[in-house]
Amino acid sequence: MDKNLQKHKGLTSKEAEEKIKVGGYNEIPSQKKRGFFVILWEVLKEPMLLLLVGAGTIYFFLGEPQDALMLSVFVVFVVGITFYQQHKTERAVEALRDLSSPRALVVRDGIRHRISGREVVVGDIIALQEGDRVPADAAILKTINLMVDESLLTGESLAVSKSVWNEIKKIEDNRPGGDNLPFVYSGTMVTRGRGMAQVVAVGVNTEMGRIGKSLQEINEEKTLLKKEIRRLVGIFASVGAVLCVGVVLFYGFFRNDWLEGVLYGITISMSMLPEEFPVVLMIFLALGAWRVSKHKVLTRNTAAIESLGAAEILCVDKTGTITMNQMDLQMIVSGDDYLDLAKYNDDENPLPEKFHFLLEHAMLASQDDPFDPMEKEIRRIGEYFLTTGMQHSDWKLIKEYPFAGNILALSYVWDYGDGDHYIVAAKGAPESIANLCHLDDRQKQIIVEQMRPLLNSGLRLLAVAQAIIDKNPLPNHQHEFDFKFVGLLGFSDPVRPSVPGAVQDCYRAGIRICMITGDYPGTACNIAHRIGLKNPDQFLTGDDLRTLSESELRSRMETVNIFARVVPEQKMIIINAFKSQGKVIAMTGDGVNDAPALKAAHIGIAMGERGTDVAREAADLVLLKDNFSSIAEAIRTGRSIFDNLKKAIAYIFAVHIPIAGISFLPVAFGMPVVFSPAHIAFLELIIDPACSLVFESEPEGKNVMARPPRKLDEPLFNRGTFIISLLQGVGVLAATFALFYYVLSTGRSEEEARAITFTAIVFSNAMLIVTNLSWSRVGVSILRDGNKALYWMLAAVSITLAAVLFVPFLRQVFHFAAISLADITLSFMVAFASLLWFEIFKLFRKS
């Protein structure tokens, strides 16, 4: 360090400008943005979108603008969603950059200036005051009782003290957390005191910057549903292509009419075109996000809802997620007596007088208007239990002794107005207070024994001492007072009330809960007992993660649910270790240190109220009310969405078989064609809202939270579902084609046969919707207990079908002839008969 820095005069303005030119601003740079056409090309490489674009283009040139427009809308919609997802990582990094660039008070040209945090450079001297956010990583040059909340980086809620840099220690060799370190870190908060520090790292080189860089390097994985939908799209596209080519070749070689062959080939392709799959997935997840929002959960990535329903392991950050991230004075100890403050909370059960003295001096050793959370709690409790006279608001503060060296204690000297004496009140770490009291080894051992049950309960401890001195010149060091030990204060970070119940809900759903924390194992195990975590006495530490071999770690992680003294990078190790076992991982957190793990997990869940912007931007879900039980509700919704989506996919598969079959078989047998693009478009108007709105609105099953998570290798469309859907579709196809053949054989016109067959297909479509809403309840029960969307859909289908059959203009557009009520009844009975077998199958399946 050069001489002018040693004198705390800082850099000159010119030196700062030169450093910015060379090293850049103190911010985390945005990731390189991809251009519009690059993203568009990546999207259009998807086979499904290529089919949509190709079909829309062909129909446009063939004079079918309505069909082309419909397909184009789907293309634009899906492309828009993809653009939104591409910017997700960028927003997370921008939020981190904003947090890491607060206003800063720096010394430039020997004068203090308030500047933007992004203008801070290496070598700057920064002034730190209570309530300031640290603008960069820096070494402490001067400290007066300086304490910093580093929970954003460490996950530990207790502020840590700072010491003066000895110009030997290197910041890269020291990690955030722990008392008496000579470094402060970008983004952390000063909770007490003041100090001066020299900046040693800015931007991406800070502790927070390294986290931001790791966010950019994490690749998001395709969700299980997206992979499954893509596979189904490929199957449908292949079948459609084969049928299309077959029809074109048939017309070309056997009828010598290539143009008509192309037209009917495109019609068949359209009947098999699987545009419903991605649209249905998108709508299900979007509406699912809306339903989850009712439980105060904001969905930032809709695909996470499905993944959450399949989650097998929930990794939970302790501080701020399981606990409240605040200090609650729970136990006080005076002599051999322990007092649980929760039992003394009203006038009917006043606090015993012997504890008044302890609280009185704890308040005297705290600031009048504190920023530190522990001092806030001391003042709150003192004002509640002590009389106004014992709070001593009229006493005069003479001198404050801050932390010094290895003495993690502070003392306040008070003039109480009478006599020739001062009162000195001190509080701090128990071992430091014991040293101030000049206790011998036996007396120290007694205090250690008093501390043991409190530490085993996971409490953070402070000790309080008192001295009475003459009004003579005060000593330079607080160690020179003749202190008497007064007692102990035990603070807890309270467990959120909703957590134990939510943990049990997750266990009933077959979801394993793991706690990850930077706190000590004893505290973590105590919390685990309180929330009902399984194996609460087994744990792994950060040191274990570094020293255990891969096989040893994998073996231990099969039963251990507590990971203590873990640094941010090790959270990633834990997440990746679980992912390597093929597990679906959900991760909750609220701090900057949680952001990489939140992004790396299959589902990242951030706490909204106490969480940082960085955590919220990196997460897929945000709990707006920090209610842990909302996670269980989100899991319930995710499972229900998958169940209903499975029904919708089965319905789509089944309904496309008769539509494609009725388009293809008449051509193959040399009969009049039934469907044109207008008919297909009409049926799509039924299929799309039915398989999205109706199936999505179906209530959840009774056992949705009483079964294990879906296995990773369980497909959305498994063999059993395929067989049943195939039989449904083939049954409807056989019945409607037989009806078409029968009507033609009776000598009726082509237009009449088309109208009757089309009506039967529409009825069959509606019945397929009803019967597939439940594979356990019969149709009558489904209609009786049906959701409102089902009723609206059936009404809309009935009205629209009546208009097509009875309005002359629409009949002409659809190439129909007028048919009688008897013909409509016949169509209904054929449709009913085609699916009667499945209703009977349900009865046998239930029994």
Side-chain angles (χ1 to χ4, degrees):
M1 188 191 311
D2 58 50
K3 294 181 179 179
N4 71 316
L5 293 181
Q6 288 180 336
K7 296 177 181 178
H8 300 175
K9 290 183 180 180
L11 302 174
T12 65
S13 298
K14 186 176 181 179
E15 287 173 331
E17 290 175 5
E18 290 298 324
K19 285 178 177 277
I20 290 178
K21 289 180 182 179
V22 175
Y25 286 102
N26 176 33
E27 58 188 10
I28 301 170
S30 298
Q31 60 185 353
K32 184 179 180 181
K33 296 182 179 179
R34 288 175 291 174
F36 173 86
F37 292 104
V38 174
I39 298 177
L40 182 62
W41 172 244
E42 291 181 357
V43 174
L44 291 180
K45 286 191 296 185
E46 292 290 330
M48 182 273 300
L49 278 178
L50 288 175
L51 282 171
L52 288 177
V53 172
T57 303
I58 293 173
Y59 269 95
F60 177 78
F61 286 111
L62 290 176
E64 298 288 348
Q66 293 179 341
D67 296 313
L69 179 61
M70 178 183 67
L71 298 178
S72 299
V73 168
F74 286 142
V75 170
V76 172
F77 197 41
V78 174
V79 169
I81 292 295
T82 305
F83 271 108
Y84 169 79
Q85 294 296 339
Q86 297 293 344
H87 291 297
K88 182 171 179 287
T89 300
E90 180 184 342
R91 288 200 306 273
V93 176
E94 285 177 352
L96 186 59
R97 181 182 62 193
D98 293 341
L99 180 59
S100 64
S101 184
R103 300 286 292 175
L105 184 61
V106 302
V107 179
R108 295 268 177 90
D109 304 311
I111 302 173
R112 294 191 180 192
H113 298 276
R114 182 72 68 176
I115 64 172
S116 170
R118 69 190 296 266
E119 297 176 3
V120 171
V121 298
V122 173
D124 259 328
I125 301 300
I126 55 176
L128 300 174
Q129 300 176 0
E130 193 171 285
D132 284 349
R133 194 174 291 279
V134 180
D137 289 4
I140 302 295
L141 302 178
K142 181 180 179 182
T143 173
I144 301 177
N145 203 24
L146 185 65
M147 297 192 72
V148 181
D149 178 0
E150 297 180 347
S151 61
L152 294 182
L153 296 172
T154 65
E156 295 192 44
S157 55
L158 193 64
V160 294
S161 60
K162 295 297 176 181
S163 61
V164 174
W165 184 40
N166 60 8
E167 303 186 33
I168 298 175
K169 282 188 177 182
K170 296 181 179 180
I171 192 169
E172 55 267 24
D173 296 332
N174 293 268
R175 303 308 309 272
D179 284 306
N180 239 15
L181 289 179
F183 302 107
V184 289
Y185 299 90
S186 176
T188 59
M189 180 74 72
V190 178
T191 61
R192 182 207 296 277
R194 56 190 183 274
M196 303 290 289
Q198 178 190 347
V199 174
V200 297
V202 298
V204 294
N205 297 317
T206 64
E207 189 73 18
M208 187 179 294
R210 285 188 285 272
I211 295 175
K213 187 177 180 181
S214 69
L215 284 179
Q216 292 179 300
E217 295 172 350
I218 299 172
N219 295 319
E220 295 187 25
E221 302 176 359
K222 285 187 178 293
T223 66
L224 303 175
L225 271 186
K226 284 184 178 179
K227 294 177 182 177
E228 186 73 10
I229 291 295
R230 186 172 180 175
R231 185 177 69 86
L232 290 176
V233 165
I235 294 173
F236 269 67
S238 300
V239 174
V242 170
L243 292 178
C244 175
V245 172
V247 168
V248 172
L249 294 177
F250 178 83
Y251 266 82
F253 288 112
F254 293 100
R255 295 190 179 183
N256 198 29
D257 193 342
W258 291 96
L259 179 59
E260 188 175 357
V262 170
L263 289 172
Y264 287 125
I266 292 176
T267 301
I268 291 175
S269 295
M270 189 174 178
S271 71
M272 288 296 294
L273 197 66
E275 78 272 8
E276 293 96 352
F277 287 132
V279 173
V280 165
L281 176 61
M282 186 163 47
I283 292 176
F284 262 61
L285 297 181
L287 291 178
W290 173 72
R291 295 186 186 282
V292 169
S293 69
K294 293 183 177 181
H295 301 291
K296 303 299 181 184
V297 178
L298 172 64
T299 304
R300 301 194 67 258
N301 179 9
T302 55
I305 296 177
E306 174 269 329
S307 300
L308 189 57
E312 298 172 271
I313 299 177
L314 177 58
C315 294
V316 187
D317 180 63
K318 179 186 74 69
T319 304
T321 305
I322 290 177
T323 65
M324 301 288 287
N325 194 18
Q326 65 186 40
M327 289 291 102
D328 182 9
L329 184 53
Q330 180 177 328
M331 297 288 294
I332 54 178
V333 181
S334 179
D336 295 328
D337 295 325
Y338 293 76
L339 188 74
D340 185 352
L341 283 175
K343 299 178 181 179
Y344 298 86
N345 54 7
D346 53 48
D347 294 335
E348 298 179 0
N349 192 16
L351 194 71
E353 288 190 12
K354 69 175 301 182
F355 294 97
H356 288 189
F357 187 76
L358 172 58
L359 284 181
E360 175 187 5
H361 283 78
M363 288 186 69
L364 288 173
S366 305
Q367 295 185 12
D368 288 335
D369 186 18
F371 189 83
D372 179 78
M374 298 182 83
E375 289 198 349
K376 282 184 176 181
E377 176 66 1
I378 290 172
R379 181 153 294 278
R380 184 185 71 82
I381 293 295
E383 291 176 350
Y384 182 81
F385 285 111
L386 301 180
T387 64
T388 303
M390 296 189 71
Q391 296 176 29
H392 305 304
S393 58
D394 57 335
W395 285 18
K396 180 181 179 181
L397 180 63
I398 303 300
K399 185 177 176 63
E400 175 184 352
Y401 289 87
F403 293 116
N406 293 323
I407 301 298
L408 300 179
L410 52 88
S411 301
Y412 289 83
V413 181
W414 295 93
D415 185 350
Y416 57 94
D418 270 338
D420 300 323
H421 299 91
Y422 291 139
I423 296 291
V424 185
K427 77 173 189 305
E431 57 272 21
S432 294
I433 293 296
N435 287 333
L436 290 181
C437 294
H438 308 289
L439 301 181
D440 57 30
D441 291 341
R442 185 186 65 81
Q443 292 171 319
K444 289 181 180 178
Q445 187 59 38
I446 293 175
I447 294 176
V448 169
E449 293 300 322
Q450 290 177 335
M451 293 167 53
R452 184 168 286 116
L454 302 180
L455 292 173
N456 291 339
S457 298
L459 299 181
R460 306 290 186 100
L461 301 185
L462 287 179
V464 178
Q466 184 227 37
I468 300 176
I469 63 170
D470 295 333
K471 288 185 178 180
N472 295 323
L474 296 174
N476 293 325
H477 303 288
Q478 55 184 328
H479 200 273
E480 298 178 34
F481 293 121
D482 185 18
F483 280 112
K484 304 298 181 184
F485 195 86
V486 175
L488 296 168
L489 307 175
F491 297 83
S492 67
D493 189 355
V495 170
R496 295 183 183 275
S498 62
V499 171
V503 168
Q504 296 308 311
D505 286 342
C506 291
Y507 280 149
R508 282 191 290 270
I511 299 171
R512 177 181 171 187
I513 308 293
C514 292
M515 181 197 302
I516 304 177
T517 179
D519 216 329
Y520 292 95
T523 302
C525 291
N526 178 264
I527 295 293
H529 278 282
R530 290 159 62 185
I531 65 174
L533 201 68
K534 292 182 178 179
N535 302 327
D537 296 316
Q538 299 182 32
F539 59 87
L540 284 170
T541 65
D543 290 337
D544 294 330
L545 297 178
R546 281 191 292 268
T547 57
L548 291 177
S549 67
E550 185 175 339
S551 60
E552 290 173 328
L553 180 61
R554 188 182 302 113
S555 175
R556 293 285 302 277
M557 288 180 68
E558 290 180 0
T559 56
V560 172
N561 296 319
I562 300 173
F563 299 86
R565 300 304 289 169
V566 171
V567 297
E569 291 82 359
Q570 291 175 325
K571 294 185 179 184
M572 290 285 292
I573 294 175
I574 296 168
I575 295 296
N576 291 331
F578 280 132
K579 288 173 69 176
S580 68
Q581 299 174 12
K583 304 294 185 181
V584 179
I585 310 299
M587 164 78 186
T588 72
D590 66 341
V592 173
N593 62 311
D594 299 321
L598 289 173
K599 192 171 179 62
H602 294 99
I603 313 105
I605 309 170
M607 313 305 282
E609 289 182 316
R610 295 183 180 273
T612 63
D613 287 343
V614 182
R616 287 192 288 268
E617 287 291 334
D620 301 298
L621 302 177
V622 179
L623 306 187
L624 297 178
K625 291 297 182 181
D626 287 5
N627 188 350
F628 191 87
S629 62
S630 298
I631 299 175
E633 294 299 329
I635 292 172
R636 182 189 302 273
T637 301
R639 292 187 173 191
S640 178
I641 286 173
F642 181 81
D643 290 346
N644 290 337
L645 183 58
K646 192 171 184 178
K647 299 172 189 175
I649 296 297
Y651 156 73
I652 294 172
F653 180 80
V655 78
H656 272 279
I657 293 174
I659 294 174
I662 289 297
S663 300
F664 177 76
L665 291 179
V667 175
F669 288 103
M671 302 169 68
V673 296
V674 179
F675 288 156
S676 69
H679 302 114
I680 303 295
F682 179 90
L683 292 172
E684 291 293 340
L685 291 176
I686 301 174
I687 295 172
D688 287 344
C691 58
S692 56
L693 300 179
V694 176
F695 282 95
E696 194 280 332
S697 300
E698 184 66 8
E700 65 190 41
K702 294 181 179 179
N703 67 336
V704 69
M705 287 296 282
R707 64 175 190 246
R710 180 172 73 98
K711 296 297 182 183
L712 283 176
D713 57 356
E714 178 189 339
L716 176 68
F717 198 64
N718 57 31
R719 181 178 299 178
T721 305
F722 170 78
I723 293 174
I724 290 178
S725 297
L726 180 65
L727 291 176
Q728 287 179 346
V730 170
V732 172
L733 173 60
T736 52
F737 184 71
L739 175 64
F740 179 63
Y741 180 82
Y742 166 75
V743 174
L744 286 177
S745 67
T746 60
R748 302 182 70 171
S749 68
E750 176 183 325
E751 287 76 14
E752 288 178 299
R754 181 179 293 115
I756 294 171
T757 305
F758 181 80
T759 303
I761 285 285
V762 172
F763 283 144
S764 299
N765 193 346
M767 292 178 187
L768 275 171
I769 294 170
V770 174
T771 197
N772 278 291
L773 281 173
S774 174
W775 284 13
S776 59
R777 294 182 295 145
V778 295
V780 175
S781 174
I782 294 171
L783 287 171
R784 184 184 65 238
D785 304 328
N787 57 66
K788 292 181 179 180
L790 173 63
Y791 297 143
W792 281 107
M793 187 277 301
L794 293 177
V797 168
S798 301
I799 293 172
T800 309
L801 179 61
V804 169
L805 294 177
F806 297 116
V807 175
F809 170 74
L810 293 178
R811 275 207 310 266
Q812 185 179 359
V813 171
F814 280 77
H815 306 288
F816 289 163
I819 59 176
S820 65
L821 184 60
D823 293 329
I824 296 175
T825 303
L826 175 62
S827 297
F828 180 84
M829 295 305 296
V830 169
F832 180 78
S834 69
L835 290 168
L836 181 61
W837 70 270
F838 188 59
E839 293 297 302
I840 298 173
F841 168 77
K842 289 181 184 180
L843 294 175
F844 281 99
R845 192 182 186 196
K846 288 174 65 176
S847 60

